[in-house]
Amino acid sequence: MRRAGCCAVAEATAAAPLAVLTAGAAGAAYLYTTDPHQSGQFLPPCPFHLVTGLLCPACGGTRMVYDLMHGHLAQAWADNRLLLLAAPFALALLARWSWEGLRGRRWSPRLGRRTQAAILVTAVVWTVARNLVGP
């Protein structure tokens, strides 16, 4: 009986990471065939940009991922430098979350207040800089 409970916990903790990975793979498959550089594509617009007319810290992320999937690193860099630099860290967190979930463990990253403040300040500075200088 105890073993069945253990497996149920493992399935529950693995469900969320597997759902995120599945949704990400489906989104990547769609994006691979949909060029966001071309107008008229069925892709969600940035709500921040729609409301303010300004670029948010993640604006250009869809184009960046498309360019990375097609091997255009220089264009991906031009689309969103900060997001490109942050992507390996985000992927490492996703990999760790998935690994722990598959092993039946719950895991969430612990970010200290200084780290949270640094991320927030970086995002604000990046937003201001890219809107003053331009994309």
Side-chain angles (χ1 to χ4, degrees), residues 13-14 16-18 20-21 87-110:
T13 55
L18 290 175
V20 169
L21 289 170
F89 298 104
L91 290 173
L93 291 174
L94 177 62
R96 172 80 188 272
W97 182 44
S98 300
W99 176 253
E100 295 298 339
L102 291 172
R103 295 178 67 198
R105 300 179 184 165
R106 294 192 187 278
W107 181 81
S108 61
R110 306 254 191 271

Side-chain angles (χ1 to χ4, degrees), residues 6 10 36 53-54 57 60 65 76-77 80 94-95 97-98 105 107 124 130:
C6 172
L54 300 172
V65 171
W77 177 257
N80 193 320
L94 177 62
W97 182 44
S98 300
R105 300 179 184 165
W107 181 81
V124 169
R130 72 188 308 207

Side-chain angles (χ1 to χ4, degrees), residues 43-60 62:
L43 293 166
C46 172
F48 183 82
H49 184 68
L50 265 175
V51 172
T52 66
L54 300 172
L55 298 173
C56 80
C59 276
T62 303

Side-chain angles (χ1 to χ4, degrees), residues 1 5 8-11 27 32 37 43 51 54 62 66 79 83 86 99 104 107 114 116 131:
M1 283 295 187
V9 169
E11 290 172 7
Y32 189 82
H37 296 284
L43 293 166
V51 172
L54 300 172
T62 303
Y66 175 86
D79 292 331
L83 207 54
W99 176 253
W107 181 81
R114 287 185 179 174
Q116 292 175 22
N131 282 290

